[in-house]
């Protein structure tokens, strides 16, 4: 699928092409999996679960279909209740593998259960909406707090372009927004390495940068959901996930923009509001973080006081910030992809936004982002 040699050693199968779902059965038979548990929700069952169930049934492969239950607001959430629901469908010593049919949340649920129960899982994405398909970490909501728990990546990925092209525009735009977030995450990764000695890898950073630029170059066709656009976007999302897998942590793809997004997500859960799409939040947060960082670096306009170490870092971060587009440019790219480009479109109120800029760095206190430095001044 054009994601480089790294994929060949990380996965037993990685297929991105029309009709990829039909290659699940030959793989399952090759691995001699006799009993599967297939995780879906209402939407992903219609998008791909129904077809996969038919294919498995015709092939004589036994499976249990687990339709994950939404919470009170109508969202399937990667929380304790949903994790237990899936675990209860597994039969110890009998279930051979799990299948995640869906997008980010279903994959997070399945990868955690896969890890905890010691059985492999297969990925069948239904929308190019996140870069977490290949991730080894599972972002879960534990007692209302977002935590990323070590888990496992899939053993195989079957990304069917015929299915992915039919994904709603808002999901495609969310995937594009998740990729745009790499502008600020790559900046923050450089900064954390400079300011706190956090680990850094040039090759991994280059893989992420190239995936980002591929999406930006094809923003128009991604917005139009052409086969080329969806292929480019899904390839970039997989490459970003592979970069994190190679590095062993999420630094390449997650900085202040993700911390702000997670903060909004936890507050929405606390308020009992419907969840916002992860990538939609990340894209808008990226624009806001770009504005904050350019203000501080280019214009020396700080949210509070000037950090003590500012003059020490200023020359280097001034060079890095040139790689982060302006707030206006990021919003224009989000519009091209057909997604929300502002806080107002997302529904994030002014008080929540201001609060998140001040407190979101606490979401990951082991990350030394520029947002953290500005807030701790």
């Amino acid at each position: 699928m054009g994601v480089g040699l790294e994929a060949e050693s990380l996965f037993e199968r990685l297929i991105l092409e029309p009709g990829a779902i039909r290659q699940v059965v030959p793989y399952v038979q090759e691995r001699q999996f006799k009993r599967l548990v297939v995780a879906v929700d209402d939407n992903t069952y219609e998008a791909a679960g129904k077809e996969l169930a038919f294919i498995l049934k015709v092939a004589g492969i036994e499976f249990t279909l687990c339709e994950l239950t939404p919470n009170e607001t109508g969202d399937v959430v990667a929380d304790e209740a949903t994790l237990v629901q899936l675990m209860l469908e597994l039969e110890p010593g009998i279930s051979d593998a799990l299948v995640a049919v869906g997008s980010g949340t279903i994959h997070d649920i399945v990868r955690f259960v896969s890890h905890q129960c010691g059985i492999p899982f297969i990925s069948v994405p239904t929308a190019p909406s996140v870069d977490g398909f290949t991730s080894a970490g599972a972002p879960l909501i534990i007692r209302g707090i977002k935590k990323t728990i070590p888990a496992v990546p899939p053993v195989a990925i079957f990304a069917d372009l015929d299915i992915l092209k039919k994904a709603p525009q808002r999901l495609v735009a969310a995937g594009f927004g998740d990729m745009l977030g790499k502008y600020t995450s790559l900046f923050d990764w450089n900064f954390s390495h400079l300011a706190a000695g956090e680990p850094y890898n040039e090759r991994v950073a280059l893989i992420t940068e190239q995936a980002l630029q591929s999406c930006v170059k094809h923003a128009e066709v991604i917005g139009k959901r052409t086969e080329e656009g969806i292929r480019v976007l899904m390839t970039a999302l997989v490459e970003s996930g592979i970069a994190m897998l190679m590095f062993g942590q999420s630094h390449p793809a997650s900085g202040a923009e993700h911390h702000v997004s997670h903060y909004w997500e936890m507050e929405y859960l606390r308020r009992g509001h419907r969840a916002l799409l992860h990538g939609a939040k990340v894209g808008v947060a990226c624009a806001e973080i770009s504005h904050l960082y350019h203000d501080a670096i280019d214009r020396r306009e700080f949210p509070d006081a000037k950090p003590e170490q500012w003059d020490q870092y200023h020359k280097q971060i001034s060079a890095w910030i040139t790689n982060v587009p302006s707030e206006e440019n990021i919003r224009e790219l989000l519009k091209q992809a057909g997604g929300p480009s502002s806080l107002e479109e997302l529904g994030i109120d002014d008080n929540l936004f201001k609060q998140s800029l001040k407190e979101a760095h606490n979401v990951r206190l082991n990350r030394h982002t520029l947002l953290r430095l500005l807030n701790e001044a």
Side-chain angles (χ1 to χ4, degrees):
M1 62 172 278
V3 296
L5 296 175
E6 296 86 3
E8 295 181 8
S9 60
L10 293 172
F11 309 102
E12 294 174 3
R13 290 284 192 289
L14 179 48
I15 299 172
L16 172 56
E17 62 187 39
I21 195 170
R22 293 191 291 275
Q23 300 193 46
V24 173
V25 163
Y27 171 75
V28 167
Q29 291 171 331
E30 178 185 318
R31 284 295 310 269
Q32 299 183 345
F33 293 147
K34 304 298 184 186
R35 179 81 183 188
L36 307 176
V37 176
V38 180
V40 299
D41 65 19
D42 282 345
N43 293 324
T44 67
Y45 177 73
E46 293 300 324
K50 184 187 297 184
E51 181 179 0
L52 180 61
F54 176 77
I55 293 169
L56 293 173
K57 188 173 182 180
V58 168
I61 296 169
E62 291 187 51
F63 66 94
T64 298
L65 191 68
C66 177
E67 189 169 313
L68 299 171
T69 304
N71 65 9
E72 304 80 20
T73 63
D75 298 312
V76 171
V77 179
D79 61 5
E80 301 95 331
T82 315
L83 296 172
V84 170
Q85 180 191 355
L86 181 57
M87 283 181 172
L88 290 176
E89 294 290 349
L90 297 178
E91 298 179 75
I94 297 176
S95 301
D96 294 316
L98 285 155
V99 185
V101 180
S103 188
T105 299
I106 289 178
H107 276 72
D108 293 334
I109 294 162
V110 170
R111 83 176 71 257
F112 176 79
V113 172
S114 170
H115 178 60
Q116 291 297 308
C117 297
I119 63 173
F121 89 92
I122 299 164
S123 165
V124 180
T126 55
S129 56
V130 293
D131 66 356
F133 295 111
T134 58
S135 174
L140 308 175
I141 299 293
I142 306 299
R143 299 197 175 199
I145 304 296
K146 186 101 170 184
K147 296 182 179 181
T148 298
I149 310 298
V152 291
V155 291
I157 303 171
F158 299 90
D160 192 322
L161 280 174
D162 293 331
I163 292 168
L164 297 174
K165 283 191 303 181
K166 296 175 184 176
Q169 186 65 42
R170 63 190 190 91
L171 294 177
V172 174
F176 185 78
D178 205 9
M179 286 307 303
L180 281 193
K182 300 344 169 203
Y183 276 124
T184 46
S185 68
L186 287 170
F187 174 94
D188 273 331
W189 191 18
N190 273 304
F191 180 74
S192 69
H193 180 60
L194 171 70
E198 292 187 36
Y200 187 81
N201 184 297
E202 293 264 5
R203 183 183 177 210
V204 169
L206 180 61
I207 291 171
T208 308
E209 172 69 24
Q210 289 175 338
L212 165 61
Q213 293 305 328
S214 176
C215 281
V216 171
K217 180 181 176 182
H218 293 86
E220 185 177 349
V221 291
I222 289 171
K224 292 179 178 177
R225 285 192 300 173
T226 67
E227 182 168 314
E228 178 192 16
I230 298 303
R231 184 190 298 274
V232 166
L233 176 57
M234 190 66 194
T235 300
L237 291 167
V238 170
E239 286 174 336
S240 176
I242 287 173
M244 287 187 279
L245 204 56
M246 290 171 61
F247 186 63
Q249 299 184 66
S250 63
H251 288 74
S254 177
E257 76 297 324
H258 270 70
H259 304 160
V260 169
S261 169
H262 293 333
Y263 190 96
W264 295 343
E265 179 179 356
M266 290 186 292
E267 182 61 17
Y268 264 48
L269 277 170
R270 191 187 69 79
R271 296 179 181 183
H273 292 178
R274 288 294 304 264
L276 301 171
L277 289 172
H278 170 75
K281 296 196 300 281
V282 167
V284 172
C286 177
E288 298 295 346
I289 293 297
S290 170
H291 177 76
L292 180 71
Y293 285 7
H294 277 286
D295 270 358
I297 297 170
D298 300 338
R299 295 174 281 278
R300 293 184 181 252
E301 295 175 4
F302 305 106
D304 194 1
K306 172 183 166 183
E308 288 183 15
Q309 310 99 314
W310 193 257
D311 292 336
Q312 174 187 348
Y313 301 138
H314 189 259
K315 182 178 179 181
Q316 182 60 75
I317 62 179
S318 293
W320 290 332
I321 199 65
T322 61
N323 296 320
V324 179
S326 69
E327 167 196 7
E328 294 78 16
N329 286 343
I330 291 171
R331 293 194 198 284
E332 185 55 39
L333 286 166
L334 291 170
K335 289 176 185 175
Q336 277 192 323
S341 62
S342 67
L343 296 167
E344 293 75 19
E345 288 175 272
L346 274 183
I348 301 294
D349 64 75
D350 193 51
N351 286 336
L352 173 55
F353 172 61
K354 290 177 180 177
Q355 188 179 348
S356 66
L357 281 191
K358 290 180 180 179
E359 299 179 7
H361 66 282
N362 293 312
V363 171
R364 296 292 298 273
L365 276 175
N366 62 336
R367 298 290 175 85
H368 293 77
T369 63
L370 185 62
L371 179 63
R372 175 175 175 177
L373 180 75
L374 292 171
N375 280 327
E376 293 180 345

